[in-house]
Amino acid sequence: MKKGILLITILIAATAGIRAQQQPLLSQYMLNNYYLNPACSGSGEVVSVTFLHRAQWAGYEDYLGDRASQQLQLFNVSINPDSTGHNTGFQFLRDRLGAVTSTSIQVSYAYRISISAKSTLALAFRGGVASKVISFDDYIVKHPGDPLIAEGKQSETRPDITLGFWYQHTKYYAGISAKGFVTRADYETLGIQNEKLLTATAGYYFTLTRGWMLTPSLQYVSNTDHTFFDGSLLLKNRNGFWSGISYRHQESITALLGFGMLDQKLRFSYAFDSVTSNRSVKTNASHEIMVRYCTGRLHDRKRRQRKDIDE
């Protein structure tokens, strides 16, 4: 444990001096911890498949009057195949902001060990490739004959690696991940620095009466160019309904609503952001829609298998 704390301290200190673009953040981060931390893989259901679409500052128009709101599509799969502690995952991300389109494809591996009867610790690695494409035709150029001004589309691809820790207890959870610290190659042709991102998150489960559970959670994200703090309260019912509220420091207030069907295997969730800062240069709202399909918890499956054997 002391070695783990030391490594986390080193990762935090290593963020000093970093300047890079900020990775898109999710309003439903508390329902999508695997997005930024691969060690979260296998902490819930045996198989979890998620699709999410986010429209940041929906309706925003650029200087040409065209719709130019940031658009994010996320697809990931998390698999916990057996009780050996091995977990795998896959993630695809496409994000467009103005003339820049970012795409990443990654696979992950996590190993989970039991700390006690109520807690586990997971260490994870996620690796793949990330590419950026700039459409220079989307810019207005005052001197089109300048040979230093690029035309058309230019792209670059770089390796993309994330390391993560995840501690899961029956009453709370905490995790930290570091992205971009292993690979240092920048997008030199495009003039974009390779992002180094540190993420820390934590939450606590409060069991209420009549099948309700309240989960406050916090998230810290930093690449030193920007630092974001998110805080949320999520209220869940055992029948598959949840609602909540979240706040992102100097950015927005979010309302969340979701429900499950088919014995809660199929889940739908929606988040509405009301922008609170710099509204003169942004639109007033962002929207986020998520669809997830999950199948069984590992311990439930093994309990049924033991019951069948006993019978």
Side-chain angles (χ1 to χ4, degrees), residues 60-124:
Y60 176 80
E61 296 182 351
D62 61 15
Y63 44 80
L64 297 176
D66 298 328
R67 293 297 179 95
S69 63
Q70 184 176 9
Q71 301 287 322
L72 166 71
Q73 289 83 40
L74 172 69
F75 173 79
N76 60 41
V77 180
S78 175
I79 303 174
N80 185 2
D82 52 39
S83 61
T84 59
H86 302 282
N87 307 281
T88 59
F90 168 82
Q91 183 159 280
F92 170 81
L93 172 70
R94 181 183 184 274
D95 174 59
R96 180 171 183 177
L97 176 59
V100 181
T101 300
S102 303
T103 305
S104 66
I105 300 176
Q106 298 175 305
V107 294
S108 68
Y109 168 77
Y111 184 68
R112 187 172 301 277
I113 58 176
S114 295
I115 302 299
S116 68
K118 295 184 177 181
S119 62
T120 60
L121 175 66
L123 310 178

Side-chain angles (χ1 to χ4, degrees), residues 125 128 158-162 179-186 194-196:
F125 166 89
R158 290 289 180 262
D160 193 12
I161 294 176
T162 300
K179 176 182 182 294
F181 289 88
V182 177
T183 56
R184 298 184 177 276
D186 296 328
N194 192 28
E195 183 182 49
K196 297 173 179 63

Side-chain angles (χ1 to χ4, degrees), residues 11-47:
L11 291 176
I12 293 174
T15 58
I18 301 168
R19 299 186 64 82
Q21 286 188 328
Q22 179 70 41
Q23 176 161 323
L25 302 181
L26 304 182
S27 294
Q28 301 178 75
Y29 72 90
M30 74 298 292
L31 301 173
N32 291 277
N33 286 305
Y34 177 70
Y35 167 56
L36 292 178
N37 193 334
C40 184
S41 173
S43 62
E45 289 77 10
V46 177
V47 178

